Amino acid sequence: MIPRPTGHTEKATRPAPAGFDRRLIPPMLFGSVLNPVNSSMIAVALVPIGVAFGAPPAETAWLVSALYLATAVGQPVIGRLVDMYGPRRLYLAGTALVGVAGVLGALAPSLGALIAARVLLGFGTSAAYPAAMRLTRSEAERTGQDSPAGVLAALAVANQTVAVVGPALGGLLIGLGGWRAVFTVNVPLSAVCLVLGTLRLPRSGTRRRAVDLPGMALFALMLVALMLFLMHPRADRWYLPVLSAVAAAGFAVRELRVPDPFVDLRVLGGNGPLLATYVRQLLAYTTSYAFMYGYTQWLEQGRGLGASTAGLVLLPLSISALIVSTLTGRREAVRGKLIVGSALQVAGCALLLLVRADSALWLLLAVGALLGIPQGLIGLAAQNALYRQADPERIASAAGLLRTFMYLGALGASAATAAFYPHHADTAGLHGLALFMLAGSALLLATTLPDRSLGRLGTTTSRTIGKA
C-alpha cells in the first residue's frame, strides 16, 4: 500500500506536473549507471594496471573486490540516509564523491592508492539507485498514480546497456589515454550528474532523527567479514565467519532495542514476502554470476578460445537480457516473470551439461542467449516486487539491501567457481558448476511457484491508490 504524503515526505519546490515528473528521469538514469560502468570498464584495465605497478593478478583483483565490498555495504547504509534526509542531498554528495575518486584514481602513485579510489567509487556510486527508488515512490505519493513499471524498466535497461558497452568503452579510453583514463572519465560523468541533480531534483523536507551509527557499524563489520571469507574461503580464515556471526548477534540486539534502528528487524521479520524477494535475489544472481565467471574461464581454458573471442561468445547473454528487459519492462507481471525466468534458468543450466570441449559454436552461443533471458526477467521482477513489498518510509534502504544480496550472490558464485576449478577450468569442473547452478535455479523456482501473493502485487496497490 502507498499512503498519501505526510508532512515529512519530499515536496517539490517548483510547480510539478500532474503525472510522473519526467525531468527526474535523466539524473536518475545518469546516476544509476555510474556503478555498472565502473564495474565493467575495470575488466579491461586490470592487465595494464598490473604491468604499470608490477602487481600480480591476485593483487589487481582487489580493484574489483574493493568496489563490491564498498557497494554492498554502502547501498543500504546510504539508502537509509536517503530515507531520512531525502534523495537530493545524498545523490549530490554521492556523485560528487565519484568525481573525487576519479581524480584520485587518475593520480594514484601506487596500487594501494588505486584500491582506495575504488572504495570511494563504491561508496559514491551507492547513492543513485536508492535515491531513484525513493524518487519513484515519492512521485507515486504526490500524484496518486502508481505506475512505476516504465521508470523501473528504464533503470534496468540503462544499467544493462552500460554493462554491455562498458568493456568496449574501457578499451577505447585505454587506447586514447592509458589505463588512468578509466578513472578520469568519472570526472565529467560526476559533473553531469551534479548539474542535473542540482537543477532537477526536488528539495526535501525531513524530520530530525538520530542516525543509528552503531547499528550501521555492526552491519558493515558483519558484511565485510562475511564477504572477505567468501572471496577466499579457507580453513585458516575461520575467524572471519566467527567475527561475522558475533557482529550479526550484536547487530540484532542493537536494532531490536533502539527506537529508530538502521534496519527495523521487527518490521522486516514480519514482512515474509520481502524476505523471500531477498532470498530470490541471492539465488538468481548466484547462478547468473557463476555462469558469467565459470563459463568465461572454461571458454578460454577448457575450449581454448582467446579472451576477445570468449567475450564475443558471451555477447548473446547481454543482448538477450537487454531485449527482454526492453520488451517486458512496462508490464510488472512479477510472478509470471519469476516463474518463466527461473524455469528458463533451470533449462539453461541443464543445457550447460551438454557442452563439451568440441561442442559446436552455435551451442556455445545458444547457452548464453538462453541464460540471458532469465537475467532480464528476474532482475525486473525483483525490483518491482521490492517496490511493492517494502515499507514506503524505508524504500531506499530496502532497495540498497536488494543490491547487497546481489553482491553476496556474486561472491558466492566466485567461491563456487574456485571450488569447481581448483587447478584448471576443465569440462568436468564446468559440469559440476552447472549442477550447482541447477540446484540453485530449481530452489528459486520452488520458492516462486507456491507464492500466489506475487500475482496480486501490482493490481492490489493500484486499487488502493485509486480509492485513496
Side-chain angles (χ1 to χ4, degrees):
M1 294 177 62
I2 298 180
R4 289 291 186 182
T6 58
H8 60 274
T9 53
E10 292 84 1
K11 297 179 180 179
T13 58
R14 60 176 181 268
F20 189 96
D21 188 351
R22 296 191 176 276
R23 292 173 295 183
L24 301 176
I25 294 179
M28 289 167 61
L29 293 183
F30 272 97
S32 69
V33 302
L34 291 175
N35 189 272
V37 76
N38 279 286
S39 297
S40 55
M41 283 195 306
I42 197 66
V44 294
L46 294 177
V47 171
I49 289 173
V51 172
F53 292 115
E59 293 182 10
T60 58
W62 275 101
L63 293 168
V64 177
S65 302
L67 189 76
Y68 276 172
L69 282 167
T71 306
V73 174
Q75 291 261 1
V77 170
I78 296 176
R80 180 59 184 144
L81 297 177
V82 169
D83 285 327
M84 295 174 68
Y85 299 107
R88 178 187 171 92
R89 301 175 191 179
L90 275 301
Y91 179 95
L92 294 176
T95 52
L97 187 58
V98 169
V100 172
V103 172
L104 294 177
L107 301 176
S110 65
L111 181 62
L114 207 58
I115 292 172
R118 291 283 290 179
V119 171
L120 290 180
L121 271 176
F123 284 119
T125 59
S126 292
Y129 179 69
M133 293 295 283
R134 178 72 257 178
L135 285 165
T136 303
R137 171 68 68 173
S138 298
E139 282 297 284
E141 293 173 349
R142 179 184 65 80
T143 63
Q145 300 173 9
D146 186 45
S147 54
V151 177
L152 298 181
L155 291 174
V157 170
N159 279 258
Q160 288 169 354
T161 301
V162 168
V164 172
V165 304
L169 175 61
L172 176 63
L173 291 171
I174 291 171
L176 293 174
W179 63 263
R180 293 184 186 274
V182 171
F183 288 84
T184 308
V185 73
N186 285 291
V187 177
L189 290 176
S190 170
V192 170
C193 291
L194 286 172
V195 171
L196 289 173
T198 300
L199 295 177
R200 299 192 174 193
L201 295 186
R203 298 183 183 276
S204 306
T206 57
R207 294 181 301 184
R208 287 287 181 182
R209 289 179 287 187
V211 178
D212 181 18
L213 292 177
M216 291 178 177
L218 286 168
F219 174 82
L221 178 60
M222 170 187 72
L223 200 58
V224 169
L226 176 62
M227 295 180 77
L228 286 174
F229 178 75
L230 289 176
M231 286 160 57
H232 301 287
R234 300 195 310 265
D236 61 347
R237 295 163 64 91
W238 59 269
Y239 58 90
L240 287 173
V242 172
L243 179 60
S244 180
V246 171
F251 175 71
V253 171
R254 165 75 188 180
E255 300 306 276
L256 290 172
R257 289 183 176 178
V258 296
D260 195 12
F262 162 48
V263 177
D264 195 333
L265 295 181
R266 294 185 185 88
V267 174
L268 185 61
N271 192 342
L274 181 58
L275 291 175
T277 293
Y278 288 143
V279 171
R280 293 186 187 108
Q281 180 88 338
L282 176 65
L283 292 171
Y285 278 93
T286 299
T287 296
S288 178
Y289 278 104
F291 177 74
M292 187 168 64
Y293 296 150
Y295 195 52
T296 304
Q297 290 184 47
W298 177 83
L299 286 172
E300 294 185 37
Q301 296 182 353
R303 180 58 190 265
L305 301 180
S308 59
T309 305
L312 291 175
V313 171
L314 278 177
L315 196 57
L317 174 77
S318 300
I319 292 176
S320 61
L322 182 59
I323 292 174
V324 167
S325 296
T326 303
L327 294 178
T328 66
R330 289 191 171 275
R331 293 191 61 208
E332 292 191 38
V334 172
R335 185 169 184 268
K337 287 179 180 177
L338 285 172
I339 290 175
V340 173
S342 53
L344 288 177
Q345 209 170 61
V346 168
C349 295
L351 183 61
L352 197 57
L353 292 171
L354 303 178
V355 170
R356 299 286 188 276
D358 58 352
S359 294
L361 182 60
W362 68 265
L363 179 59
L364 306 183
L365 294 169
V367 171
L370 179 59
L371 283 171
I373 298 174
Q375 184 171 307
L377 290 174
I378 296 172
L380 277 172
Q383 188 173 243
N384 279 283
L386 176 130
Y387 179 85
R388 302 296 184 185
Q389 295 163 342
D391 177 3
E393 290 296 313
R394 291 175 174 265
I395 184 67
S397 54
L401 276 173
L402 188 71
R403 289 292 180 94
T404 296
F405 277 89
M406 180 182 78
Y407 287 117
L408 284 173
L411 290 175
S414 180
T417 302
F420 286 104
Y421 295 155
H423 306 294
H424 184 77
D426 56 15
T427 301
L430 176 67
H431 290 168
L433 187 62
L435 289 173
F436 169 79
M437 295 160 54
L438 185 61
S441 301
L443 186 56
L444 174 62
L445 182 60
T447 62
T448 303
L449 281 173
D451 192 348
R452 299 287 179 180
S453 67
L454 293 171
R456 299 190 295 269
L457 287 178
T459 55
T460 300
T461 309
S462 297
R463 286 195 299 268
T464 301
I465 292 179
K467 294 177 181 179

